[in-house]
Amino acid sequence: MAKFLIVEARFYDHLNDMLIAGAKAALEAAGHKAEVITVPGALEIPGAIALADESGDFDGFVAIGVVIRGETYHFEIVAGESARGIMALTMDGVAIGNGILTVEDEAQAIVRADPAQKDKGGEAAKAAMALLALRERWA
């Protein structure tokens, strides 16, 4: 049994609730434990994961959030930099599943977040578990 930390940027409550439900369901179905923490935005997710990883309290991580395109360039910065930060940690051997949705509108987010539809939260949890299994295999 492994312990995972779900790090959420809680901006769209109803969407995050679906993503977290999917992630928790996938982790619990595999026999793992999950804890959830909240950070202000998607840009803070990689930093929170890095700090939590240093603690040694967690085996893997699931990043959860929703970034919806707006009228400014901010969308590109948040989407790109949060993904870059997560990828940098992953390349350093941290087992992270990226469940940060980057979408055009709320309708797209609902389809992707809903566990009964695309279940991107569950998929992110499964990705984190797969990376943890690889890390353990080659440790």
Side-chain angles (χ1 to χ4, degrees):
M1 174 178 57
K3 186 174 179 186
F4 287 82
L5 181 64
I6 299 170
V7 180
E8 68 151 336
R10 191 153 191 91
F11 198 78
Y12 300 99
D13 294 353
H14 62 297
L15 299 171
N16 276 28
D17 287 344
M18 289 190 284
L19 288 164
I20 291 169
K24 281 185 170 180
L27 293 168
E28 291 168 2
H32 301 303
K33 289 187 176 184
E35 183 178 321
V36 179
I37 63 160
T38 301
V39 297
L43 289 174
E44 288 75 38
I45 290 174
I49 290 173
L51 292 169
D53 187 53
E54 288 178 11
S55 77
D57 292 342
F58 301 97
D59 302 296
F61 303 89
V62 182
I64 296 291
V66 179
V67 183
I68 298 176
R69 185 181 301 277
E71 297 177 2
T72 69
Y73 187 68
H74 186 68
F75 171 87
E76 284 82 5
I77 292 170
V78 173
E81 292 302 309
S82 62
R84 185 193 59 75
I86 289 168
M87 183 56 66
L89 291 166
T90 302
M91 296 298 291
D92 285 340
V94 182
I96 306 170
N98 187 349
I100 301 174
L101 303 182
T102 52
V103 295
E104 296 294 325
D105 54 44
E106 186 175 351
Q108 287 180 350
I110 290 170
V111 170
R112 286 159 180 76
D114 186 354
Q117 295 185 59
K118 293 204 174 194
D119 193 21
K120 294 300 182 179
E123 287 184 14
K126 290 174 185 174
M129 289 186 281
L131 288 171
L132 178 60
L134 287 174
R135 188 176 74 202
E136 290 173 347
R137 176 180 174 188
W138 291 317

